[in-house]
Amino acid sequence: MNAHARTSAAILRLPRHARAASQARHTVAALAASHDQDVADRGQLLVTEAVANAVEHTIGTQVTVELAVDGSTGTMYCAVFDTDPRARLPEPRIVAELPPWDEKAEIAESGRGLDLIRALSDEWGCEREEDGKWVWFQLRPAA
């Protein structure tokens, strides 16, 4: 395998703090810098949303982010783990089903992170572990 085809990867263990999303976004940018720009852009947005959700909606003290970019295919994989003992699996809201006059739909400034992950990733999911949960997504370059 040549050097270009190697998978670049990072594991971040971040304190559950507002700056965690920014740190994860910068790591995605660095890992994806020499790859498909669309994958890099979507990856930065979605990791920001996934980490922000973990920080805002869980009670654990740490968020773990695993990132990998396959050098031969340009596919990005991201998984975000939180140690919330409640380990409730998140469910995206179906924003499109809200009537256009719904006041909540017009004023909501947050709460759409999983909707974005579902809409912009090629694959995504949530998996429960004994001590928390993973939210993951995969992004592939356009053919």
Side-chain angles (χ1 to χ4, degrees):
M1 176 185 289
N2 66 36
H4 179 65
R6 287 195 187 127
T7 297
S8 55
I11 297 175
L12 308 173
R13 289 183 178 77
L14 304 169
R16 198 180 127 254
H17 188 277
R19 288 188 301 262
S22 176
Q23 291 173 300
R25 183 175 56 252
H26 290 300
T27 303
V28 167
L31 283 177
S34 63
H35 297 283
D36 184 84
Q37 188 62 50
D38 176 60
V39 168
D41 292 344
R42 286 187 294 150
Q44 289 176 69
L45 173 63
L46 299 184
V47 76
T48 300
E49 293 295 334
V51 172
N53 279 351
V55 167
E56 184 176 342
H57 300 293
T58 66
I59 61 173
T61 61
Q62 180 175 283
V63 175
T64 299
V65 181
E66 292 187 4
L67 300 163
V69 179
D70 185 312
S72 61
T73 66
T75 298
M76 177 184 292
Y77 175 80
C78 174
V80 177
F81 182 79
D82 65 71
T83 56
D84 189 336
R86 295 174 294 180
R88 188 179 87 236
L89 294 181
E91 296 200 17
R93 297 177 304 122
I94 309 298
V95 175
E97 292 179 4
L98 294 174
W101 62 88
D102 188 321
E103 206 173 277
K104 288 182 262 180
E106 292 178 17
I107 62 170
E109 293 181 11
S110 65
R112 293 195 172 100
L114 287 177
D115 293 322
L116 284 171
I117 291 171
R118 180 180 57 197
L120 297 177
S121 65
D122 295 301
E123 293 180 50
W124 79 281
C126 303
E127 297 176 19
R128 188 184 312 243
E129 299 257 332
E130 187 174 310
D131 58 345
K133 66 185 168 300
W134 289 96
V135 173
W136 61 270
F137 60 86
Q138 190 168 354
L139 307 172
R140 291 185 289 276

XYZ file of all heavy atoms in Angstrom, residues 90-98 102 104-105 108-116 118 124:
181
model
N -30.781 8.424 20.520
C -31.462 9.584 19.949
C -32.292 9.197 18.741
O -31.974 8.258 18.029
C -30.306 10.499 19.541
C -29.166 9.580 19.326
C -29.354 8.429 20.283
N -33.361 9.922 18.534
C -34.190 9.713 17.357
C -34.355 11.046 16.659
O -34.736 12.029 17.281
C -35.549 9.165 17.754
C -35.430 7.807 18.395
C -36.732 7.047 18.348
O -37.616 7.408 17.562
O -36.840 6.093 19.105
N -34.068 11.081 15.365
C -34.224 12.344 14.659
C -35.701 12.703 14.528
O -36.550 11.836 14.430
C -33.614 12.054 13.285
C -33.704 10.584 13.135
C -33.590 10.006 14.520
N -35.969 14.000 14.559
C -37.322 14.472 14.301
C -37.509 14.549 12.799
O -36.563 14.767 12.060
C -37.524 15.871 14.896
C -37.382 15.889 16.388
C -37.514 17.289 16.959
N -36.566 18.208 16.352
C -36.916 19.321 15.721
N -38.158 19.679 15.611
N -35.998 20.107 15.208
N -38.692 14.370 12.352
C -38.980 14.510 10.936
C -39.472 15.941 10.724
O -40.656 16.240 10.809
C -40.040 13.486 10.471
C -39.653 12.077 10.900
C -40.263 13.577 8.961
C -38.362 11.561 10.316
N -38.540 16.841 10.471
C -38.869 18.260 10.342
C -39.813 18.475 9.167
O -40.716 19.300 9.224
C -37.587 19.105 10.185
C -37.932 20.557 9.918
C -36.741 18.984 11.437
N -39.640 17.726 8.098
C -40.477 17.914 6.910
C -41.955 17.657 7.213
O -42.824 18.126 6.492
C -40.005 16.992 5.795
N -42.259 16.906 8.259
C -43.643 16.598 8.582
C -44.329 17.700 9.375
O -45.524 17.661 9.582
C -43.728 15.282 9.356
C -43.358 14.081 8.512
C -43.429 12.789 9.284
O -43.844 12.798 10.467
O -43.074 11.758 8.714
N -43.568 18.678 9.847
C -44.184 19.774 10.579
C -44.908 20.683 9.598
O -44.379 21.006 8.537
C -43.129 20.588 11.337
C -42.409 19.887 12.472
C -41.309 20.796 13.010
C -43.368 19.517 13.578
N -46.221 25.882 11.781
C -45.874 25.467 13.135
C -44.864 26.452 13.708
O -43.757 26.599 13.191
C -45.292 24.055 13.131
C -45.088 23.496 14.526
O -44.667 24.257 15.421
O -45.338 22.307 14.708
N -43.015 26.362 16.325
C -41.753 25.760 16.770
C -40.795 25.580 15.597
O -39.602 25.736 15.742
C -42.004 24.427 17.454
C -42.648 24.557 18.811
C -42.809 23.202 19.417
C -44.237 22.775 19.141
N -44.618 21.494 19.629
N -41.317 25.224 14.441
C -40.459 25.013 13.275
C -39.807 26.320 12.838
O -38.691 26.326 12.355
C -41.268 24.430 12.123
N -37.140 27.479 15.994
C -36.150 26.552 16.534
C -34.761 26.885 16.003
O -34.552 26.967 14.801
C -36.512 25.117 16.176
N -33.825 27.129 16.912
C -32.449 27.393 16.520
C -31.572 26.172 16.754
O -30.411 26.170 16.389
C -31.901 28.579 17.312
C -32.568 29.877 16.959
C -31.984 31.036 17.731
O -30.939 30.853 18.382
O -32.574 32.123 17.699
N -32.109 25.161 17.376
C -31.340 23.947 17.624
C -32.293 22.759 17.537
O -33.476 22.920 17.302
C -30.685 24.006 19.002
O -31.676 24.025 20.005
N -31.752 21.568 17.725
C -32.587 20.385 17.732
C -32.680 19.688 16.395
O -33.473 18.777 16.232
N -31.869 20.114 15.441
C -31.935 19.490 14.125
C -30.651 18.726 13.782
O -30.444 18.349 12.638
C -32.220 20.547 13.065
C -33.608 21.136 13.224
C -34.009 21.899 11.986
N -35.397 22.295 12.079
C -35.814 23.500 12.428
N -34.940 24.429 12.744
N -37.089 23.782 12.468
N -29.799 18.502 14.762
C -28.521 17.843 14.505
C -28.657 16.470 13.890
O -28.001 16.153 12.891
N -29.512 15.631 14.451
C -29.679 14.288 13.894
C -30.394 14.323 12.557
O -30.155 13.482 11.691
C -30.422 13.380 14.873
C -29.596 12.947 16.077
C -30.439 12.112 17.021
C -28.361 12.180 15.662
N -31.268 15.307 12.364
C -31.901 15.462 11.055
C -30.843 15.767 9.994
O -30.881 15.228 8.889
C -32.940 16.582 11.079
C -34.127 16.257 11.959
O -34.557 15.084 11.978
O -34.622 17.171 12.630
N -29.883 16.626 10.326
C -28.799 16.941 9.395
C -27.925 15.715 9.139
O -27.546 15.452 7.994
C -27.937 18.080 9.936
C -28.530 19.470 9.831
C -27.671 20.473 10.601
C -28.674 19.888 8.387
N -28.783 12.601 9.325
C -29.539 11.678 8.478
C -29.576 12.180 7.034
O -29.410 11.411 6.097
C -30.953 11.504 9.012
C -31.761 10.537 8.152
C -33.144 10.345 8.644
N -33.809 11.638 8.711
C -34.902 11.859 9.398
N -35.443 10.891 10.085
N -35.465 13.040 9.408
N -25.688 6.230 8.498
C -25.566 6.702 9.870
C -26.312 5.736 10.782
O -27.092 4.906 10.343
C -26.086 8.126 10.033
C -27.576 8.227 10.118
C -28.457 8.180 9.079
C -28.347 8.354 11.299
N -29.739 8.282 9.544
C -29.704 8.395 10.904
C -28.037 8.444 12.648
C -30.744 8.514 11.821
C -29.077 8.566 13.564
C -30.408 8.603 13.145
